[in-house]
């Protein structure tokens, strides 16, 4: 299968519609990866194998030139997912081994590329003299969550979002932007 960068389409996987994924944003995404390297700030999902965790920073560097659909495909074809991961038993402090979900590559790729894009966009907006970004729906949803719908159109301080995402790698951010995995919500420049 061939990836088509113009349509953001790879096989059956469609990328999120990142409205401001331009060269300047991509450059700032690369700078954010450098920031993570300097601060040992990469999120390494429990879904990744040991090899996947080691490969993650360089894979993100490559992904800056593409999108989340490309990243999802690369996670799969490079065999970066573990078969099992450790998690807590429901309503217990005991740990158990669970099978990595079949949707893990998509969830990880969408979530982490979206966070990297948001950081890059906020950094780019700040470098351009702007100060605000706006939430929008980056993926069509037939049954959108109320909390996702409530955030659409809201404006946020680019500086606050950038610092929030840097301070909370891989977990829910304090501002909730972008909201959790599979929300389909992203950020754009305020025009």
């Amino acid at each position: 299968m061939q990836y088509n960068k113009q349509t953001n389409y790879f096989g059956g996987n469609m990328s999120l519609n990142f409205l401001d994924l331009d060269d300047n944003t991509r450059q700032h995404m690369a700078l954010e990866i450098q920031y993570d390297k300097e601060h040992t700030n990469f999120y390494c999902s429990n879904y990744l194998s040991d090899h996947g965790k080691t490969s993650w920073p360089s894979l993100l560097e490559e992904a800056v030139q593409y999108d989340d659909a490309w990243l999802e495909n690369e996670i799969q074809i490079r065999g970066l997912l573990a078969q099992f991961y450790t998690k807590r038993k429901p309503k217990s402090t005991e740990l158990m081994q669970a099978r990595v979900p079949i949707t893990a590559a998509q969830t990880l790729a969408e979530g982490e590329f979206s966070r990297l894009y948001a950081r890059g966009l906020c950094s780019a907006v700040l470098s351009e003299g702007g100060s605000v970004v706006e939430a929008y729906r980056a993926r069509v949803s037939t049954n959108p969550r109320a909390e996702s719908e409530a955030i659409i159109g809201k404006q946020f301080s680019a500086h606050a979002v950038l610092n929030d995402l840097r301070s909370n790698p891989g977990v829910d951010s304090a501002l909730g932007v972008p909201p959790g995995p599979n929300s389909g919500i992203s950020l754009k420049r305020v025009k």
Side-chain angles (χ1 to χ4, degrees):
M1 277 185 212
Q2 190 66 24
Y3 175 78
N4 184 329
K5 194 172 180 179
Q6 277 65 47
T7 61
N8 297 330
Y9 185 75
F10 187 92
N13 302 329
M14 193 75 161
S15 172
L16 292 174
N17 182 20
F18 296 109
L19 295 178
D20 291 314
L21 187 56
D22 55 22
D23 288 341
N24 191 32
T25 300
R26 289 181 193 277
Q27 289 173 356
H28 283 271
M29 289 167 69
L31 291 172
E32 287 303 305
I33 291 172
Q34 188 60 38
Y35 174 92
D36 285 348
K37 282 182 176 180
E38 292 169 3
H39 295 88
T40 317
N41 200 38
F42 286 101
Y43 169 67
C44 287
S45 169
N46 288 337
Y47 293 163
L48 291 171
S49 66
D50 289 342
H51 172 65
K53 289 175 182 175
T54 303
S55 303
W56 189 244
S58 60
L59 182 59
L60 281 179
E61 283 182 306
E62 288 181 66
V64 166
Q65 296 307 311
Y66 300 98
D67 59 26
D68 55 300
W70 180 90
L71 181 57
E72 175 187 349
N73 184 65
E74 292 300 308
I75 290 168
Q76 292 171 336
I77 65 172
R78 295 183 191 194
L80 302 182
L81 293 176
Q83 290 185 354
F84 295 92
Y85 72 107
T86 303
K87 72 175 200 172
R88 290 197 188 286
K89 287 185 178 180
K91 300 179 184 176
S92 172
T93 58
E94 241 181 281
L95 298 178
M96 63 180 265
Q97 290 295 301
R99 185 168 291 284
V100 169
I102 196 160
T103 58
Q106 179 183 11
T107 301
L108 181 60
E110 271 189 17
E112 290 306 298
F113 192 90
S114 184
R115 289 171 64 90
L116 181 59
Y117 162 78
R119 288 173 60 186
L121 177 65
C122 288
S123 177
V125 164
L126 293 168
S127 77
E128 296 161 358
S131 62
V132 178
V133 291
E134 182 178 321
Y136 74 99
R137 179 158 294 286
R139 177 182 54 230
V140 175
S141 177
T142 56
N143 191 16
R145 293 183 283 201
E147 58 269 20
S148 293
E149 288 297 296
I151 205 169
I152 294 172
K154 286 191 176 179
Q155 294 185 353
F156 299 88
S157 159
H159 183 72
V161 171
L162 179 59
N163 286 338
D164 190 20
L165 292 173
R166 282 177 173 175
S167 300
N168 297 292
V171 297
D172 290 336
S173 60
L175 294 174
V177 182
N182 303 316
S183 73
I185 303 297
S186 191
L187 298 173
K188 64 182 181 178
R189 286 178 174 89
V190 174
K191 308 261 190 244

